[in-house]
């Protein structure tokens, strides 16, 4: 299975925002990740997606938090986004660090022992897993196209985790 036509068009628009594919707008990145997350974590399966702009200076422009809606909402996935112009090794490392910090804080507010995180820089993405009391683990290293078949499988694997659907 692949993403729907609208999601793929949003991805195309993300790379065509200007003359350079590395120059994208936050709106396009937010639309893309909102579409991807709603595809894998729909409300009819009990999920809600919260948008958060960091209140302090941050490498991440914004975060999405996928929550399983229960009496107490439980975070299952955190997505941290950064502008495409920062798609270089140092920018990716800083984003991973902030993503892991955010995920570790969320472990105190969730019913789960594992939280997945997605770092997104422009159209590129990577998946990290944090276990309570453990060390962060990179589940999927950087993929250059978040709508590719490999990226789709990456999201499906984290979505299918028994921890996420418990």
């Amino acid at each position: 299975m692949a993403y729907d036509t609208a999601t793929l068009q949003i991805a195309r628009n993300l790379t065509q925002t200007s003359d350079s594919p590395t120059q994208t707008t936050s709106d396009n990145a937010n639309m893309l990740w909102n579409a991807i997350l709603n595809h894998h974590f729909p409300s009819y399966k009990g999920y809600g997606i919260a948008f958060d702009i960091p209140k302090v200076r941050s490498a991440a422009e914004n975060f999405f938090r996928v929550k399983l809606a229960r009496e107490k909402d439980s975070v299952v996935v955190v997505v941290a986004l950064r502008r495409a112009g920062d798609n270089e090794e140092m920018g990716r490392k800083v984003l991973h660090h902030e993503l892991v910090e955010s995920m570790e804080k969320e472990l105190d507010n969730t019913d789960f022992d594992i939280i997945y995180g997605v770092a997104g820089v422009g159209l590129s993405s990577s998946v990290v897993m944090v276990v309570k009391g453990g060390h962060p683990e990179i589940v999927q290293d950087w993929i250059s196209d978040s709508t590719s078949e490999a990226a789709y499988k990456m999201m499906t694997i984290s979505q299918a985790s028994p921890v996420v659907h418990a």
Side-chain angles (χ1 to χ4, degrees), residues 5 39 64 85 96-97 149 153:
T5 305
H39 178 89
F64 286 98
H96 261 166
H97 177 75
E149 185 177 336
K153 287 179 183 175

XYZ file of all heavy atoms in Angstrom, residues 5 39 64 85 96-97 149 153:
70
model
N -3.058 10.088 -3.239
C -2.625 11.087 -4.214
C -2.365 12.449 -3.567
O -1.383 13.123 -3.907
C -3.683 11.225 -5.328
O -3.910 9.928 -5.875
C -3.236 12.163 -6.412
N -2.754 9.102 8.171
C -2.852 7.855 7.415
C -2.565 6.654 8.319
O -3.302 5.670 8.314
C -1.870 7.874 6.236
C -1.863 6.619 5.439
N -2.708 6.424 4.374
C -1.124 5.492 5.556
C -2.493 5.219 3.865
N -1.525 4.641 4.563
N 4.806 17.219 16.519
C 3.506 16.570 16.540
C 3.595 15.469 17.592
O 4.637 14.822 17.721
C 3.183 15.891 15.195
C 2.817 16.825 14.087
C 3.750 17.213 13.145
C 1.515 17.309 13.975
C 3.417 18.057 12.105
C 1.165 18.158 12.938
C 2.117 18.535 12.005
N 16.496 23.389 4.884
C 17.809 23.994 4.748
C 18.800 23.503 5.790
O 20.002 23.682 5.654
N 17.815 15.053 16.443
C 17.676 13.763 17.140
C 17.793 13.949 18.651
O 17.016 13.372 19.410
C 18.751 12.779 16.666
C 18.273 11.815 15.638
N 19.136 11.066 14.904
C 17.047 11.452 15.221
C 18.459 10.292 14.075
N 17.190 10.523 14.243
N 18.756 14.759 19.077
C 18.957 15.001 20.512
C 17.698 15.617 21.138
O 17.225 15.154 22.183
C 20.173 15.907 20.720
C 20.409 16.256 22.146
N 20.944 15.371 23.057
C 20.165 17.403 22.828
C 21.007 15.949 24.244
N 20.554 17.186 24.125
N 8.589 4.032 -0.558
C 8.141 2.722 -0.074
C 8.862 2.346 1.219
O 8.253 1.822 2.151
C 8.380 1.657 -1.146
C 7.830 0.303 -0.768
C 8.001 -0.727 -1.873
O 8.115 -0.353 -3.047
O 8.021 -1.922 -1.524
N 7.055 1.683 4.846
C 7.257 0.467 5.648
C 7.760 0.824 7.037
O 7.357 0.214 8.026
C 8.240 -0.471 4.958
C 7.657 -1.167 3.753
C 8.683 -2.067 3.094
C 8.092 -2.704 1.837
N 9.099 -3.490 1.111
